[in-house]
Amino acid sequence: MTAATAAGANETNTGRSEVWRELLRDHFVSLDVDVERDCGMFDGAVRSDFLGHLRVSGVRSVDQDIVRTTELLRRDHDRYLQVCLVRRGTARATQDGHEAMLRPGDFVVYETERPFQWTLRAEADSPYWDLAVFTWPRDTIRLSDSESAQLTCRTLDGGSGITAVLSRMLTDLLVEKPTVSEGGAIRIADEIGDLVATIATEAYGFGGATDRHADLLRRIDAYIAENLGDPDLSPESVARAHFVSTRQLQRMFAGRGQTVSQVIRRQRLERCRRDLLNRRGGEATLTEISVRWGFTELAVFSRAFREVYGTSPTAYRTRAGA
């Protein structure tokens, strides 16, 4: 990992199941845990490092069920997309009406802002299961909410095909702990997130879907991406360009859990964030970057950036270039 963030890596072991619940919350999100063996035999450990904004974690423990309920969703304000890869043992994961059965090498994509459940079991030759968990802030992953809901908790085969290549790469990322600059780490975290989204989408054939509604949404997504620099981009202009009413457009996006304006704002901020990391061709000013992606006022851009990424654009650029 980066020299700057490796110092933040930590491995915590616990022999008490009640402490285990708190430990999982500290590293991930609030979870309910039902431990199978708790009579003096409980054991568990978590180790986390950071690669830019990507948290890379190794988790080991005994047989248990883990649940994220609707009630627990209200305790966490951050949204994450996670990939969980089984290294030892077996797992069953459910979310969005999908169920994945996982053996060593297999992995799944899931989101923390919707309920999910894990059933984790060790195999006969070991008292422990072992997982690799990769956690991205949700807004850094270029998947729409509807695309994500199609992909969550579908088994991605670690034994063959392009998904096996990704499985080996993710495993190496946990084991090797590469040393790179912080700016490079952020770019690598972005690239791996994009690769996960692409491979998962292709593995289940959603990239070639022919459904008319889905096709229209893809064209609208492409239109928004191509016109982010237009300060007049709005739900009304998007609706006119696709010959639908604004009400119809908003209804289509309601299924994703976001408004059109929220999608435009999120994508503009993400383009700005990437430009802050790009040193090629000289260093643009904050004003130039914000205007390039449709923000007409620097103060509005800076405030929105801090709300999403937890720091100012200036501080983000400085840290990434350190």
Side-chain angles (χ1 to χ4, degrees), residues 135-151:
T135 304
W136 287 265
R138 179 61 179 88
D139 287 340
T140 67
I141 300 295
R142 289 188 287 185
L143 274 177
S144 70
D145 289 345
S146 61
E147 289 170 332
S148 171
Q150 287 182 303
L151 295 175

Side-chain angles (χ1 to χ4, degrees), residues 2 5 50-54 136 140 180-194 270 273-274 276-278 309 315-322:
T2 70
T5 58
F50 280 90
L51 182 66
H53 49 275
L54 168 60
W136 287 265
T140 67
V180 295
S181 68
E182 189 151 359
I186 292 171
R187 284 187 284 272
I188 291 171
D190 281 336
E191 295 297 334
I192 295 173
D194 287 345
E270 179 59 16
R273 184 186 70 83
R274 293 183 179 222
L276 290 171
L277 302 177
N278 187 2
Y309 299 109
Y316 186 87
R317 167 179 269 177
T318 300
R319 180 168 59 89

Side-chain angles (χ1 to χ4, degrees), residues 64-66 86 90-95 98-103 108 116-121 153 155:
Q64 61 195 257
D65 296 336
I66 296 176
V86 176
T90 62
R92 179 172 65 89
T94 59
Q95 187 175 53
H98 310 144
E99 178 178 278
M101 303 299 296
L102 308 172
R103 302 288 299 177
V108 292
F116 60 78
Q117 181 170 355
W118 283 88
T119 300
L120 299 161
R121 297 292 183 266
C153 283
T155 303

Side-chain angles (χ1 to χ4, degrees), residues 23-243:
L23 181 61
L24 292 178
R25 185 194 64 188
D26 291 342
H27 282 258
F28 306 114
V29 291
S30 298
L31 300 165
D32 277 340
V33 182
D34 183 13
V35 178
E36 290 284 300
R37 301 183 315 198
D38 203 357
C39 299
M41 301 179 65
F42 180 79
D43 190 16
V46 182
R47 177 180 176 82
S48 289
D49 291 285
F50 280 90
L51 182 66
H53 49 275
L54 168 60
R55 180 191 287 262
V56 180
S57 306
V59 188
R60 184 203 73 204
S61 191
V62 296
D63 293 356
Q64 61 195 257
D65 296 336
I66 296 176
V67 181
R68 182 151 168 84
T69 64
T70 302
E71 179 183 351
L72 290 175
L73 297 178
R74 293 191 284 268
R75 300 185 186 180
D76 304 302
H77 301 293
D78 295 324
R79 305 169 65 221
Y80 298 107
L81 181 138
Q82 294 185 301
V83 168
C84 184
L85 186 152
V86 176
R87 301 184 65 208
R88 183 190 302 167
T90 62
R92 179 172 65 89
T94 59
Q95 187 175 53
D96 297 326
H98 310 144
E99 178 178 278
M101 303 299 296
L102 308 172
R103 302 288 299 177
D106 298 341
F107 59 102
V108 292
V109 176
Y110 59 104
E111 294 215 30
T112 64
E113 67 172 346
R114 299 191 297 278
F116 60 78
Q117 181 170 355
W118 283 88
T119 300
L120 299 161
R121 297 292 183 266
E123 294 183 331
D125 61 347
S126 171
Y128 305 113
W129 48 260
D130 195 343
L131 308 176
V133 182
F134 305 86
T135 304
W136 287 265
R138 179 61 179 88
D139 287 340
T140 67
I141 300 295
R142 289 188 287 185
L143 274 177
S144 70
D145 289 345
S146 61
E147 289 170 332
S148 171
Q150 287 182 303
L151 295 175
T152 49
C153 283
R154 295 183 183 271
T155 303
L156 295 165
D157 183 7
S160 62
I162 191 64
T163 50
V165 174
L166 180 56
S167 175
R168 291 192 293 271
M169 187 192 75
L170 291 173
T171 299
D172 288 346
L173 189 63
L174 176 71
V175 174
E176 294 297 328
K177 301 178 179 64
T179 299
V180 295
S181 68
E182 189 151 359
I186 292 171
R187 284 187 284 272
I188 291 171
D190 281 336
E191 295 297 334
I192 295 173
D194 287 345
L195 188 60
V196 166
T198 299
I199 289 178
T201 299
E202 291 297 321
Y204 278 92
F206 297 134
T210 57
D211 179 78
R212 291 177 61 187
H213 181 80
D215 183 64
L216 177 58
L217 275 172
R218 281 194 295 273
R219 286 189 281 114
I220 290 172
D221 285 338
Y223 179 86
I224 290 173
E226 292 168 3
N227 291 276
L228 289 173
D230 181 358
D232 293 325
L233 183 67
S234 66
E236 292 74 22
S237 67
V238 173
R240 284 195 302 271
H242 293 86
F243 305 102

